[in-house]
Structure formats: structure tokens, C-alpha cells
Amino acid sequence: TWENNEIKFVFLAQPGQRLNIEKSLRAITDNILAGQKNIQLAIDKTEPGISDQNINELGLTSLLGKGESNFAGSPSNRQYNIKVGAAKLNGWLIKPGEEFSFIGAIGEIDAINGWVQGFVIKNNQTIPEFGGGICQVSTTLFRAAVKAGLKITERQAHAYPIKYYGAPGFDATIYAPKPDLKILNNTTGHLLLQNKIEGTKLTFEIYGLNDGREIKIKGPTVLSKNPDGSMKTILTQEIWRDGQLAEKNDFRSNYKSADLYPVVTASPSPNVTPTSN
């Protein structure tokens, strides 16, 4: 947690355990051949990647950016997927110079990996699919990354404005394999992604090395809006160093009318370009 301009550990890190598959397979084979019914699996001790012992070495000395969103009114399956997605990214480390891929980090989105069905935008329809609602997580992380002054190398807005994200223009949709949300760690230290859910409020915090950059966010600003709900917006990220504007990045969003994406319960034909919501 971030208190009085310093990082404090609420819970101290502790060693974990990992199943040694190779040794366990040998033990199972040997014991079965020997007629044994009880077999001890091989477990390796794993040290935590982040602790009070190495936090300075990793460069995790400051809270760089925080993103928030509220999913109040979401159905239970959407809330469930949000919690699953957030948990998979909590404690994620990004090395200096590494490009983070949201889809790569989140893994397969299916029933086997703990997801349930929720609504996604696909083939000009809004339909149920596994992982529906995961974009609440990508949107919140995108907000934290922009406010941290990180380089966003890939981001796409939703097809139409989603009510859970508030004012349009500050969202990021994902659906494997594309579109993806990609973030470049353009600092000299590691980045730590940490999130929490309080009620229906999701918060992402990005910790890292403060190199003196000052971040100014302008917008999102609505450039045009039509009676059918379609609109264009712009969000600007400014990075200042020593009182001078060093970098400016615009995130433009072109939303269509939600009327073009009717809600259906049956899946459309395959081989289409989808976006999750």
C-alpha cells in the first residue's frame, strides 16, 4: 500500500510451493511398480518475487499511477469474470523495457480456466461468451497506465459506449488474439501491477521508479455526438520533464451507435472480428 509517500507491506511475503512434475512422475511410476498405494508427490519451495528484501532492487519505490472504474449494475456473471481477470494480474511484474500484453498475461479465456459466460460485442451483435466483462479489467489498467505516463503501444476503444465505463473515451477493449492492450515499461525499474475490488469499485495501482516525469491528462473530450449515440472523443496524455513538454499522446475513439449491436442469446457464425465488453 502507499502511505505517506512510501510503500508499506500490509502482509509480508511468504514462500510458496510448486509441484515438481518430473520428479512426481518418476515417484508415481516407481511406487506403482513397487506395489505402493500411497505416493508422496515432489514439492519444491518457491521464493516470492516481491518482498521487503528486494523491493528497492526491483525499483518499486513509488506509486506511479492509479486507475479506477465502477461496475455497479453488472449481472453476477460479469462481476465474477471481473474478479477472475483482476486476480490473474494482481502482483504482475513487468521488467524494464518489456512490453506487457494483456491477452498474453490473462491466458486462455474458457471454462477450464475459470471463466463464465457474459456479454461481448461480436459480429455486429452483443452475445454471451466466456469472459464477458473482462474489458472492465483492461479498461481500468489502461487508465492506470496512462496516468503513470507509460507508453501505450496498442489500444482500441469499444465498438459503442459501454455504460460501466462512465464518460466515453477512456476505455480499452480486448479479445484474443486481437484487439489487445499493450503497455511498454519505458522506465529503468520494474513495474508492479496491483489491484483491489471494494464493493463494485475496481482499482489498479502501478508501482515503479519515479524518474521525475509529470503527467497531465486532458479529457476525454467529446468531439462530436449524433442523436443515435455514436460519437468521437479524444483523450490526451502529456509527459512533462523539467517544466518542458517531452511527449504528447492522443487516444482517439470512434464509437458507433449501440443500436447497431442488438443483444442476442445465440452465437453468430464463426470467423469474425470480435471485441469484448
Side-chain angles (χ1 to χ4, degrees), residues 108-139:
E108 294 291 331
I109 301 178
D110 51 28
I112 295 177
N113 287 283
W115 302 89
V116 297
Q117 290 201 352
F119 281 109
V120 304
I121 305 169
K122 184 174 182 179
N123 196 27
N124 296 328
Q125 294 176 320
T126 303
I127 65 170
E129 267 199 8
F130 287 107
I134 184 62
C135 290
Q136 188 88 35
V137 182
S138 59
T139 289

Side-chain angles (χ1 to χ4, degrees), residues 49-245:
I50 308 167
S51 70
D52 55 339
Q53 303 298 317
N54 68 353
I55 190 169
N56 289 326
E57 297 175 10
L58 294 173
L60 304 176
T61 58
S62 299
L63 175 62
L64 302 182
K66 178 188 291 188
E68 298 176 334
S69 69
N70 197 309
F71 51 93
S74 294
S76 59
N77 55 343
R78 187 176 191 274
Q79 294 189 39
Y80 182 87
N81 284 333
I82 292 170
K83 294 175 182 177
V84 170
K88 288 179 181 290
L89 298 183
N90 194 37
W92 196 277
L93 276 176
I94 307 175
K95 299 176 182 177
E98 179 183 358
E99 184 181 53
F100 168 86
S101 164
F102 188 95
I103 289 177
I106 213 74
E108 294 291 331
I109 301 178
D110 51 28
I112 295 177
N113 287 283
W115 302 89
V116 297
Q117 290 201 352
F119 281 109
V120 304
I121 305 169
K122 184 174 182 179
N123 196 27
N124 296 328
Q125 294 176 320
T126 303
I127 65 170
E129 267 199 8
F130 287 107
I134 184 62
C135 290
Q136 188 88 35
V137 182
S138 59
T139 289
T140 314
L141 176 57
F142 169 63
R143 293 175 178 179
V146 170
K147 292 178 180 179
L150 301 177
K151 182 69 175 179
I152 310 299
T153 53
E154 184 176 336
R155 172 263 176 180
Q156 183 174 308
H158 285 78
Y160 60 83
I162 305 297
K163 63 180 181 179
Y164 302 114
Y165 307 139
F170 212 160
D171 61 321
T173 186
I174 64 99
Y175 193 103
K178 278 185 174 296
D180 196 359
L181 171 65
K182 293 185 178 181
I183 303 167
L184 178 65
N185 180 0
N186 55 358
T187 74
T188 57
H190 285 71
L191 296 176
L192 168 64
L193 308 184
Q194 185 168 284
N195 61 64
K196 59 183 176 181
I197 295 178
E198 298 173 314
T200 57
K201 180 181 177 182
L202 173 62
T203 302
F204 255 99
E205 297 171 331
I206 299 180
Y207 291 90
L209 187 64
N210 188 342
D211 59 6
R213 68 182 71 181
E214 180 186 358
I215 314 304
K216 296 181 181 181
I217 307 298
K218 297 182 178 180
T221 302
V222 176
L223 300 176
S224 63
K225 184 176 182 179
N226 300 310
D228 63 0
S230 60
M231 67 179 71
K232 294 181 179 180
T233 67
I234 185 172
L235 171 74
T236 300
Q237 174 202 56
E238 292 183 352
I239 301 175
W240 293 71
R241 296 181 185 274
D242 301 322
Q244 300 294 322
L245 179 61

Side-chain angles (χ1 to χ4, degrees), residues 7-28:
I7 292 178
K8 293 184 178 180
F9 282 85
V10 179
F11 301 103
L12 292 180
Q14 298 193 21
Q17 294 181 324
R18 179 184 292 118
L19 175 66
N20 188 315
I21 297 177
E22 184 177 344
K23 289 183 179 180
S24 294
L25 284 174
R26 287 202 302 268
I28 292 170

